[in-house]
Amino acid sequence: MLDGLPPSQAAGAVERLIAAYRGDTPTHAPILRDRADVAAYAAYRMPATFEAVRSALGAFADAVPGWVPGSHVDVGGGTGAATWAVTDTWAGTRPVTVLDWAEPALALGRELAAANPALAGARWQRARIGSGLDLEPADLLTVSYVLNELTESDRTALVDAAAAAARSVVIVEAGTPAGYARVIEARDRLIRAGFEIAAPCPHSAACPIAPGT
Ligand SMILES: C[S@@+](CC[C@H](N)C(=O)[O-])C[C@H]1O[C@@H](n2cnc3c(N)ncnc32)[C@H](O)[C@@H]1O
């Protein structure tokens, strides 16, 4: 995917993405704007987001042995790291839908997925996360490294839509105090909607970890 991309352009895209992801400012336009951005994302960041999601899914699978998702929706899925992690965690095929507002990311995700037979039927669809977000019912819904790019109201809309549409929700965020706060906010909201926590914490009571520690 990097063939044909001048090294200086790839390096420039990586620098820009690092700066964008270091900030916590919600974005009002896609950060992944073009082919150089998404190729850079797939090369320098996607392997790490894949591993983080795979680790979270592994903890989930251990907590709910024998359960296999019959369908998967990946919201803010970008180039599809979470779809690869799901197919790596549970064998077999299932309907997969990837939603994102960045068309270049979906296009590259679709190209990469051609190498994964379990993603052969995946649908890569343009969607904007917000109050109008319409989610189809799914056994498993993943939200990986997305909450930090959303405004508070869009985060709330996404978690509420996820709670209404999915049987299980896996959220992955950066392991920073701000990322922890966003996970706890979503966790509390999902519990109020009737969800039980499977992993990594083994209970649905209030989290005893004090924010910022
Ligand atoms: C850091 S990337 C994570 C991509 C993928 N989930 C992963 O783990 O590698 C954040 C993704 O969220 C998408 N995103 C951010 N805000 C969005 C919004 N309001 N509506 C739809 N997608 C959004 C971006 O386009 C991008 O693909």
Side-chain angles (χ1 to χ4, degrees):
M1 297 291 169
L2 293 172
D3 280 354
L5 191 64
S8 61
Q9 203 182 344
V14 167
E15 289 306 321
R16 203 180 68 76
L17 294 179
I18 288 173
Y21 292 135
R22 263 203 198 121
D24 252 344
T25 320
T27 51
H28 299 286
I31 293 173
L32 300 173
R33 300 171 308 192
D34 54 26
R35 182 77 180 184
D37 284 351
V38 292
Y41 183 90
Y44 102 91
R45 195 167 153 95
M46 187 180 173
T49 61
F50 164 79
E51 286 295 349
V53 180
R54 190 166 67 161
S55 160
L57 294 176
F60 176 31
D62 287 348
V64 193
W67 186 79
V68 177
S71 54
H72 174 210
V73 172
D74 187 22
V75 187
T79 51
T83 64
W84 285 80
V86 169
T87 61
D88 201 65
T89 304
W90 292 285
T93 57
R94 57 194 60 83
V96 177
T97 304
V98 182
L99 303 174
D100 205 287
W101 66 354
E103 179 57 35
L106 294 170
L108 190 121
R110 195 183 290 116
E111 281 176 56
L112 292 174
N116 183 344
L119 295 177
R123 293 182 303 155
W124 301 79
Q125 290 179 353
R126 206 97 186 254
R128 188 191 188 293
I129 299 164
S131 56
L133 181 65
D134 188 19
L135 294 177
E136 63 194 77
D139 272 358
L140 172 66
L141 186 141
T142 48
V143 181
S144 156
Y145 295 94
V146 178
L147 294 181
N148 65 313
E149 295 190 19
L150 304 178
T151 62
E152 190 177 346
S153 61
D154 286 351
R155 279 202 306 273
T156 303
L158 171 54
V159 175
D160 288 352
R167 288 184 67 203
S168 61
V169 179
V170 171
I171 294 179
V172 181
E173 277 289 297
T176 60
Y180 168 79
R182 285 187 291 269
V183 167
I184 291 299
E185 181 187 73
R187 179 186 190 273
D188 290 348
R189 222 168 164 85
L190 290 170
I191 291 169
R192 281 201 299 278
F195 279 70
E196 264 178 64
I197 301 302
C201 52
H203 62 84
S204 300
C207 179
I209 300 174
T213 58

